């Protein structure tokens, strides 16, 4: 339970509190409703919930998704995709329609690129590339599969009046079936159980400005309970998601085309050029949706020159488009975890990015983590990079939290520099101050435990599976095929592009560093 949020915009009276504020003296505390964040359900779309189907005339996309798994298995998906009409996004009306379109195109696009027992497709046809790019731009996302596509926009309630938890969630779409669906469902449930923390974070910031320590304690207690709930739900991953099936059947479809040995230039998005923007027109300006018309015909007519050599597919004809490199879907794209880190003042530093050498890939001599660091590649703050793959409004909310009062700085200061009145009596009840410190550190320890448990899951579902694969070979794809090589080059890397174990250990250790202690 959180405290009522203060409506006051007054300057804080205490010099202690003034030190915790960013961008000047006036506190900047975000409002959830300004960032498409629900006070009860957090980042999950509610009121209305995610759409289960797009309206006509987007039937061709929906029919394609209906048959996605069957077409993959039959090997005929790419031919069907290439026969799709080029549909304009001009007729997407509501945000839920834009989100649904992005989800549909993400599943179709990923299936087209990776196929099933097929070599990777280097060129994405414009019938998918252009509307995918358009929907991604509208939502502030990237035209690649993301956490938002498979989790936030991909759930429904079995009982619309029932609870928001694993007992009542269902996934609308998957590439492969039950194990994959459970993988998504667990993450959706963590979003639900963590949602109360978001309102509590905002309440905690107001409590700091108002120097209301009892309210701050209530908020921290809510945040701590939410973190512990997230960890508890996450550990249910083992119940219905087999590690072998996840690693060999599910994970390949969640991969992107950044740091890919099979797509060294990235994926070629046919019809999408650099700095392409598709303006939203009024209904009166919209053309018929079928064919190369509407927003696409106007945009495409601008690109009537032959692109530069590096933009031309190496195995195809000279056509308009660009190569793009994007990471795949990752739990690191969960805005919830980023908000908790920012609110608690947990700082993450850049990490060196390892690369598999071409000799390792071609000779199948990969180590478990492929720890070859490219000296020409600067360190990357991978956690911050993952924000680029979040919905724009949620990314903006994280940035707004960063501009707000620092909870950690406030707790540190009241512990180490307690205020005193004119008669030298403590400005705050020492017992209450001790409780603030305890609850804040409980939150930090909860995040440390979360990362410990996540590391264990990664070891089971990725690292151990990669080791088994190296020992016994790949069961699902022909030995020596290009598709085998790309999966081997990614074997112990995250779908978001990280060198998993070193990255996760660093993130865990950085979490512990946020603890507040009495300085002697």
């Amino acid at each position: 339970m959180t405290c009522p949020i203060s409506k006051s915009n007054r300057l804080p009276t205490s010099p202690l509190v003034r030190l915790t504020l960013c961008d000047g003296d006036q506190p900047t505390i975000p409002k959830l409703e300004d960032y498409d964040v629900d006070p009860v359900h957090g980042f999950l779309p509610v009121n209305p919930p995610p759409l289960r189907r797009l309206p006509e005339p987007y039937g061709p996309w929906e029919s394609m998704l209906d048959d996605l798994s069957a077409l993959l298995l039959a090997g005929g998906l790419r031919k069907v995709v290439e026969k799709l009409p080029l549909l304009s996004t001009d007729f997407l009306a509501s945000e839920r329609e834009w989100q649904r379109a992005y989800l549909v195109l993400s599943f179709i696009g990923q299936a087209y690129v990776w196929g099933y027992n097929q070599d990777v497709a280097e060129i994405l046809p414009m019938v998918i590339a252009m509307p995918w790019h358009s929907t991604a731009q509208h939502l502030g996302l990237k035209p690649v599969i993301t956490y938002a596509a498979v989790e936030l926009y991909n759930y429904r309630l079995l009982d619309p009046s029932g609870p928001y938890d694993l007992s009542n969630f269902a996934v609308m779409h998957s590439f492969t079936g039950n194990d994959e669906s459970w993988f998504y469902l667990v993450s959706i449930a963590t979003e639900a159980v963590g949602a109360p923390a978001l309102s509590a974070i905002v309440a905690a910031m107001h409590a700091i400005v108002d120097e209301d320590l009892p309210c701050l304690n209530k908020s921290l207690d809510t945040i701590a309970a939410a973190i512990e709930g997230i960890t508890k739900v996450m550990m249910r991953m083992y119940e219905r998601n087999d590690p072998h099936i996840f690693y060999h059947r599910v994970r390949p479809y969640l991969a992107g085309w950044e740091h890919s040995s099979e797509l060294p230039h990235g994926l070629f998005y046919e019809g999408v050029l650099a700095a392409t923007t598709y303006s939203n027109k009024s209904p009166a300006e919209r053309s018929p949706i079928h064919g190369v018309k509407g927003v696409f015909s106007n945009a495409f007519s601008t690109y009537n020159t032959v692109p530069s050599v590096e933009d031309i597919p190496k195995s195809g004809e000279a056509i308009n488009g660009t190569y793009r490199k994007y990471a795949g879907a990752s739990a690191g794209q969960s805005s919830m975890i980023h908000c908790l880190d920012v609110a608690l003042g947990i700082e993450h530093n850049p990490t060196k990015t390892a690369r598999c050498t071409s000799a390792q890939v071609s000779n199948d001599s990969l180590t478990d983590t492929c720890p070859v660091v490219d000296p020409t590649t600067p360190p990357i703050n991978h956690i911050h990079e993952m924000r680029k793959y979040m919905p724009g409004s949620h990314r903006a909310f994280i940035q707004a939290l960063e501009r707000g009062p620092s909870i950690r700085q406030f707790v540190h200061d009241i512990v180490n520099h307690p205020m005193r009145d004119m008669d030298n009596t403590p400005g705050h009840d020492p017992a209450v101050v001790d409780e603030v410190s305890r609850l804040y550190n409980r939150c930090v320890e909860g995040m440390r435990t979360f990362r410990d448990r996540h590391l264990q899951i990664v070891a089971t579902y990725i690292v151990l599976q990669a080791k088994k694969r190296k020992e016994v070979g790949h069961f699902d794809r022909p030995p020596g095929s290009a598709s085998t090589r790309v999966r081997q080059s990614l074997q112990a890397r995250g779908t978001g592009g990280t060198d998993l174990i070193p990255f996760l250990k660093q993130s865990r250790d950085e979490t512990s560093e946020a603890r507040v202690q009495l300085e002697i």
Side-chain angles (χ1 to χ4, degrees):
M1 178 177 179
T2 58
C3 302
I5 293 177
S6 168
K7 302 297 182 182
S8 171
N9 288 321
R10 67 178 175 81
L11 288 173
T13 57
S14 166
L16 174 65
V17 178
R18 288 178 183 270
L19 292 175
T20 72
L21 304 180
C22 302
D23 298 334
D25 290 334
Q26 194 71 19
T28 304
I29 302 175
K31 298 178 180 178
L32 298 178
E33 60 269 25
D34 291 342
Y35 298 92
D36 194 25
V37 181
D38 186 84
V40 177
H41 303 296
F43 296 112
L44 293 176
V46 293
N47 302 321
L51 284 183
R52 297 181 66 174
R53 205 160 187 91
L54 287 169
E56 289 295 339
Y58 296 103
W61 291 352
E62 292 286 2
S63 296
M64 178 84 240
L65 187 56
D66 289 341
D67 294 333
L68 188 76
S69 296
L71 287 168
L72 275 170
L73 188 61
L77 181 137
R78 289 174 179 167
K79 290 182 180 180
V80 176
V81 168
E82 289 159 7
K83 293 178 181 178
L84 287 173
L86 178 58
L87 304 181
S88 169
T89 56
D90 270 355
F91 290 81
L92 296 170
S94 67
E95 279 303 285
R96 294 294 179 261
E97 289 182 6
W98 282 97
Q99 292 166 357
R100 173 69 186 178
Y102 176 77
L103 175 154
V104 172
L105 293 165
S106 294
F107 272 90
I108 296 173
Q110 295 289 133
Y112 185 93
V113 171
W114 297 118
Y116 181 75
N117 282 344
Q118 295 170 292
D119 287 347
V120 67
E122 185 180 2
I123 303 171
L124 187 65
M126 68 174 65
V127 294
I128 298 299
M130 294 180 72
W132 198 7
H133 180 265
S134 177
T135 57
Q137 277 200 322
H138 178 89
L139 298 168
L141 290 160
K142 303 292 185 185
V144 67
I145 202 161
T146 60
Y147 183 92
V150 296
E151 321 282 1
L152 303 184
Y153 306 155
N154 193 29
Y155 83 92
R156 64 182 179 88
L157 295 177
L158 296 171
D159 175 3
S161 61
Y164 276 67
D165 63 30
L166 269 175
S167 70
N168 197 37
F169 282 133
V171 164
M172 291 190 282
H173 303 285
S174 70
F175 295 98
T176 63
N178 291 341
D179 290 75
E180 179 184 354
S181 295
W182 186 253
F183 174 66
Y184 300 153
L185 286 169
V186 168
S187 291
I188 293 166
T190 63
E191 294 289 333
V193 77
L198 301 176
S199 293
I201 288 169
V202 173
M205 289 183 170
H206 282 283
I208 287 173
V209 172
D210 294 336
E211 300 179 52
D212 185 344
L213 298 196
C215 180
L216 177 58
N217 281 341
K218 290 181 181 179
S219 300
L220 290 172
D221 186 62
T222 299
I223 295 168
I227 294 169
E228 290 158 7
I230 288 171
T231 304
K232 184 177 179 180
V233 170
M234 181 181 66
M235 294 305 291
R236 295 190 63 184
M237 184 67 70
Y238 298 100
E239 292 179 15
R240 298 170 193 175
N241 182 15
D242 181 85
H244 176 86
I245 292 176
F246 172 77
Y247 183 85
H248 291 283
R249 302 289 180 89
V250 177
R251 192 166 173 263
Y253 291 112
L254 303 180
W257 22 94
E258 186 175 52
H259 313 316
S260 169
S261 63
E262 216 175 1
L263 293 170
H265 304 287
L267 180 67
F268 188 85
Y269 288 74
E270 191 177 88
V272 179
L273 294 191
T276 300
T277 58
Y278 299 134
S279 61
N280 292 323
K281 302 176 182 178
S282 67
E285 296 174 309
R286 291 171 179 167
S287 302
I289 196 165
H290 291 288
V292 187
K293 296 183 183 294
V295 66
F296 293 128
S297 61
N298 294 335
F300 189 75
S301 65
T302 305
Y303 309 139
N304 54 13
T305 58
V306 176
S308 60
V309 172
E310 59 269 21
D311 287 340
I312 299 175
K314 301 298 180 286
S315 57
E317 59 182 340
I319 53 176
N320 289 324
T322 48
Y323 280 103
R324 304 284 182 101
K325 293 183 178 182
Y326 297 123
S330 167
Q333 295 162 5
S334 168
S335 300
M336 178 67 66
I337 302 304
H338 286 249
C339 286
L340 291 167
D341 275 343
V342 168
L344 296 173
I346 298 171
E347 297 182 357
H348 297 286
N349 298 310
T351 55
K352 284 284 187 180
T353 301
R355 298 286 184 271
C356 299
T357 66
S358 57
Q360 284 177 307
V361 173
S362 61
N363 295 333
D364 295 332
S365 58
L366 299 170
T367 63
D368 282 348
T369 56
C370 198
V372 179
V373 176
D374 182 352
T376 65
T377 303
I380 296 173
N381 193 318
H382 185 77
I383 286 181
H384 288 185
E385 284 292 305
M386 287 295 96
R387 295 183 188 177
K388 297 177 181 178
Y389 297 84
M390 298 173 182
S393 58
H394 298 170
R395 181 167 59 251
F397 179 67
I398 296 169
Q399 294 166 346
L401 289 181
E402 289 179 320
R403 296 190 296 270
S406 168
I407 296 173
R408 183 184 186 279
Q409 185 66 49
F410 180 83
V411 175
H412 175 273
D413 287 348
I414 64 170
V415 168
N416 288 282
H417 308 288
M419 293 185 299
R420 293 188 174 274
D421 294 335
M422 295 295 292
D423 59 358
N424 203 34
T425 59
H428 294 296
D429 183 343
V432 178
V433 172
D434 287 344
E435 184 68 357
V436 170
S437 175
R438 184 189 71 80
L439 287 170
Y440 172 81
N441 284 333
R442 177 185 163 198
C443 292
V444 173
E445 286 303 315
M447 291 297 290
R448 161 82 189 210
T449 300
F450 164 80
R451 290 195 157 101
D452 270 333
R453 300 296 179 266
H454 183 238
L455 188 59
Q456 293 170 11
I457 290 174
V458 167
T460 300
Y461 281 84
I462 298 177
V463 177
L464 292 180
Q465 298 306 309
K467 183 177 181 181
K468 291 179 183 178
R469 178 183 193 154
K470 182 179 177 183
E471 293 172 349
V472 303
H474 187 18
F475 301 118
D476 299 320
R477 298 178 184 269
S481 71
S483 295
T484 300
R485 291 198 305 275
V486 70
R487 301 313 194 276
Q488 289 173 332
S489 68
L490 292 172
Q491 59 178 340
R493 295 175 64 82
T495 47
T498 55
D499 303 303
L500 278 169
I501 298 303
F503 166 72
L504 293 175
K505 285 183 176 179
Q506 176 180 322
S507 299
R508 178 195 61 190
D509 295 342
E510 289 166 341
T511 300
S512 295
E513 293 171 4
R515 280 181 54 87
V516 167
Q517 296 177 333
L518 179 64
E519 296 175 353
I520 301 176

